[in-house]
Amino acid sequence: MDAFLLHSRALAGALVFAFSTLLLFPELSCAQQTGITRHYKFDIEMTNVTRLCHTKSMVTVNGQFPGPRIVAREGDRVIVKVVNHVQSNVSIHWHGVRQLRSAWADGPAYVAQCPIQTGQSYVYNFTIVAQRGTLFWHAHISWLRATIYGPIIILPERGVPYPFAKPYKEVPVIFGEWWNADTEAVINQALQTGGGPNVSDAYTINGLPGPLYDCSAKDTFKLRVKPGRTYLLRIINAALNDELFFSIANHTLTMVEVDAVYMKPFDTNTLIITPGQTANVLLRTKLSFPGATFLMLARPYATGQGTFDNSTTAGILEYQHPNASSSPSFSKKLPRLKPSLPSLNDTKFVADFTSKLRSLATTQYPAKVPQTIDRHFFFTVGLGTSPCPKNQTCQGPNGTKFAATVNNVSFSMPTTALLQSHFFGQSKGVYTPDFPIVPLTAFNYTGIPPNNTLVSNGTRLVVLPFNTSVELVMQDTSILGNESHPLHLHGFNYFVVGQGFGNYDPAEDPANFNLADPVERNTVGVPPGGWVAIRFLADNPGVWFMHCHLEVHTSWGLKMAWLVLDGHLPDQKLPPPPADLPKC
């Protein structure tokens, strides 16, 4: 029966999804041992969905938007059969899952696998190792993740408590973006013209835009709570192109985990979360019925010069009325309070917030920061331009096309999978192992930009021996404007040991690195006009994508890949691919 419940599609529809999230995961309530195998089936299918009085046919998983949740415990094996019933190629990424020796299941199209074509299927098979918390899954090809995403909820091993008070209920809160148009048409048009893509029409909470948009009052996420209780909000930013501030009116949130890693708790009225990041926060409700309802708002933190969706999504926090009988009763005629959020470009708030993030760093949950470094890298991240093709008019800067780069290399996606090419020794003509470890041309990265903004192109990788300790500094540039870039690394967590504004100073800045309890995560925002330093141990063989999680920047080329070689021991080698691995 447990497997049947997990496969059930009875939760289809965003309203049912929204209200059902208050349940405490009945899938895991029966007495089960750790290390079990959990089976899911994802049918990729077209579904009619209506938001903002606009109905469109869009790609979904099992007809649900957002998609179904994956629930497992630390140590469980997860098997997901994905069947593609639509015309688009598709692949699924299990964002933040370490994928230790299971790189074939990581998901990014043309990196870890060829995409799943129409009428085909692929079985993703991986084990949750030494992780617990909130992650998420999403499509990883073109812009399909606009509608193909859902939560991954990893509970601790049975009998292992949270390192904080056990919550009364647990609630996924997933931010997304809604376009009235087909998002594939949006990005295809932008890549053709070289200009910026059309922005979204709304942000969403659990697929619902909320009452601040026209024709949307009925599509509002409502979090219904009891006084004097503690709720765990599992917050996910699945938006395509926008970092978001989030706050609940007259309530304090306690940060306890980011990117499925426990952290030192701290209280905040507002949090900032980039696309690709997750956060677990405790919400302690008021001790008595407050006689009001409370808006939960999310709106963008915007640093670039381009256009963006300057709107606000809202949910409603409602308290159960004290006169309610056994069934919940909620008053409809109460004052509705609204939180105040930082200004759209409040970089100081973001810097102050991120400086408070610290690993728990206890005996049970240590921060295993590499103390000695084998390889140092310095990557610039930012925008640039490509020439406009002959006989075409382009809408990028000065008649060019927008591009984006790491170390001025705009990554060219191959037509076959990098991991397959590496494993079978067929890299010739697919990629080269010569990604630059420092910028080829140094300049004042955050000062007056160079006149020449043209980028180079290539499919170039960094090759690392197994167990190499890596320090990487990522530096924003002022080319076409300073901008925050949330960088996501597949296959690894890393420690954010330092960050600052201006140009990174290799002589002075390392002295201020935090090597004791830096936050550990899989996605970090490179500050606008600044830099961030991370450290990780390359202990996972495979080809691992690293890219900006602003989808428009990824489309423009702000991406690269690390090739981690096998180690000498059997458990340090990548196994052969599964028999059903898709072919290009």
Side-chain angles (χ1 to χ4, degrees):
M1 175 62 79
D2 185 56
F4 173 78
L5 286 173
L6 289 173
H7 284 148
S8 173
R9 292 168 59 182
L11 297 180
L15 282 172
V16 179
F17 173 92
F19 294 130
S20 70
T21 52
L22 280 173
L23 298 176
L24 264 177
F25 318 120
E27 298 95 330
L28 301 176
S29 60
C30 58
Q32 297 170 337
Q33 301 300 311
T34 59
I36 69 170
T37 300
R38 301 185 180 275
H39 293 267
Y40 292 82
K41 186 182 180 188
F42 281 11
D43 284 300
I44 311 297
E45 55 194 31
M46 302 302 295
T47 304
N48 286 335
V49 178
T50 302
R51 298 289 185 272
L52 311 179
C53 283
H54 185 95
T55 301
K56 69 174 182 178
S57 179
M58 66 189 205
V59 186
T60 65
V61 170
N62 297 353
Q64 299 174 229
F65 174 66
R69 65 191 180 197
I70 296 286
V71 184
R73 289 194 180 275
E74 179 183 349
D76 284 353
R77 182 182 179 193
V78 176
I79 296 177
V80 186
K81 183 176 183 179
V82 177
V83 184
N84 186 8
H85 303 282
V86 303
Q87 293 303 307
S88 302
N89 290 344
V90 74
S91 70
I92 305 293
H93 171 51
W94 317 94
H95 183 110
V97 175
R98 280 291 317 272
Q99 299 291 3
L100 289 165
R101 298 182 67 240
S102 56
W104 304 108
D106 189 45
Y110 303 107
V111 178
Q113 65 170 93
C114 297
I116 306 167
Q117 299 178 28
T118 307
Q120 295 186 345
S121 64
Y122 181 47
V123 176
Y124 292 91
N125 183 343
F126 55 90
T127 300
I128 308 291
V129 179
Q131 291 182 284
R132 75 295 297 170
T134 301
L135 297 170
F136 71 118
W137 57 264
H138 61 78
H140 212 304
I141 183 169
S142 191
W143 277 25
L144 287 184
R145 76 174 182 88
T147 59
I148 299 181
Y149 62 87
I152 301 176
I153 295 162
I154 308 170
L155 299 182
E157 293 178 341
R158 185 163 295 281
V160 178
Y162 293 132
F164 46 82
K166 183 179 179 181
Y168 172 68
K169 291 267 177 78
E170 304 188 8
V171 188
V173 176
I174 312 174
F175 303 130
E177 286 184 88
W178 170 268
W179 274 262
N180 289 332
D182 173 14
T183 48
E184 291 303 280
V186 169
I187 183 56
N188 289 338
Q189 179 189 36
L191 294 177
Q192 175 67 28
T193 65
N198 292 334
V199 301
S200 56
D201 294 285
Y203 300 106
T204 59
I205 301 177
N206 291 344
L208 303 170
L212 303 185
Y213 297 100
D214 290 338
C215 194
S216 187
K218 66 181 178 57
D219 291 325
T220 299
F221 171 68
K222 295 182 179 180
L223 175 55
R224 292 176 165 169
V225 299
K226 295 181 179 180
R229 304 282 190 173
T230 298
Y231 293 79
L232 180 69
L233 306 185
R234 296 177 173 269
I235 301 175
I236 298 164
N237 188 349
L240 260 69
N241 294 314
D242 292 277
E243 305 179 45
L244 296 169
F245 295 115
F246 175 69
S247 183
I248 302 177
N250 288 36
H251 288 74
T252 299
L253 304 173
T254 302
M255 300 282 300
V256 294
E257 175 249 302
V258 291
D259 292 3
V261 181
Y262 294 136
M263 52 168 282
K264 290 182 171 67
F266 70 87
D267 291 343
T268 185
N269 294 323
T270 302
L271 61 87
I272 177 70
I273 185 166
T274 79
Q277 291 183 340
T278 61
N280 278 3
V281 303
L282 297 178
L283 167 67
R284 295 178 179 87
T285 58
K286 298 182 183 302
L287 295 178
S288 58
F289 182 72
T293 60
F294 305 89
L295 284 176
M296 306 183 290
L297 300 184
R299 80 171 185 205
Y301 164 56
T303 59
Q305 296 182 353
T307 57
F308 63 96
D309 178 356
N310 185 9
S311 67
T312 304
T313 183
I316 300 175
L317 179 70
E318 296 182 339
Y319 278 74
Q320 180 172 326
H321 198 278
N323 297 329
S325 57
S326 57
S327 60
S329 173
F330 300 91
S331 175
K332 303 295 185 184
K333 298 181 179 179
L334 295 172
R336 182 178 293 175
L337 304 183
K338 182 178 180 179
S340 60
L341 289 169
S343 61
L344 290 166
N345 60 351
D346 194 343
T347 295
K348 183 181 185 303
F349 173 90
V350 174
D352 291 344
F353 180 89
T354 54
S355 70
K356 298 175 186 176
L357 301 174
R358 292 282 189 271
S359 286
L360 205 51
T362 61
T363 302
Q364 187 174 6
Y365 302 106
K368 298 179 181 178
V369 188
Q371 299 294 312
T372 58
I373 298 300
D374 299 320
R375 298 285 304 276
H376 292 262
F377 298 87
F378 181 79
F379 289 176
T380 57
V381 294
L383 304 185
T385 58
S386 292
C388 189
K390 291 182 178 180
N391 302 319
Q392 182 179 335
T393 301
C394 292
Q395 297 174 5
N398 300 315
T400 63
K401 302 182 85 168
F402 273 111
T405 73
V406 181
N407 274 354
N408 203 46
V409 178
S410 187
F411 193 82
S412 301
M413 293 302 288
T415 55
T416 189
L418 296 173
L419 183 60
Q420 219 168 325
S421 302
H422 157 65
F423 189 86
F424 292 108
Q426 299 170 342
S427 64
K428 186 175 181 180
V430 179
Y431 68 85
T432 56
D434 60 351
F435 189 88
I437 65 172
V438 295
L440 298 180
T441 303
F443 61 97
N444 181 3
Y445 304 113
T446 56
I448 298 174
N451 292 326
N452 182 3
T453 61
L454 293 176
V455 306
S456 65
N457 298 277
T459 311
R460 305 168 69 179
L461 276 58
V462 171
V463 179
L464 295 172
F466 184 83
N467 255 0
T468 300
S469 58
V470 174
E471 180 179 288
L472 167 63
V473 175
M474 292 179 283
Q475 171 76 59
D476 182 37
T477 78
S478 58
I479 297 175
L480 301 183
N482 294 323
E483 188 167 0
S484 176
H485 298 279
L487 265 292
H488 171 54
L489 175 60
H490 291 229
F492 300 93
N493 282 348
Y494 48 70
F495 293 94
V496 184
V497 297
Q499 59 184 10
F501 292 99
N503 295 336
Y504 173 71
D505 185 340
E508 299 290 338
D509 288 325
N512 298 316
F513 283 179
N514 175 9
L515 302 182
D517 64 348
V519 68
E520 179 183 352
R521 59 189 327 161
N522 63 61
T523 305
V524 67
V526 179
W531 56 271
V532 65
I534 65 172
R535 289 186 174 189
F536 66 95
L537 186 67
D539 60 354
N540 195 8
V543 178
W544 303 106
F545 210 20
M546 189 177 83
H547 58 94
C548 183
H549 224 274
L550 304 180
E551 209 63 33
V552 60
H553 291 174
T554 300
S555 300
W556 287 342
L558 208 167
K559 48 195 173 186
M560 54 83 65
W562 305 80
L563 195 171
V564 179
L565 301 174
D566 284 348
H568 298 297
L569 302 177
D571 64 351
Q572 298 173 343
K573 299 180 186 301
L574 179 66
D580 66 337
L581 186 72
K583 296 177 174 56
C584 290

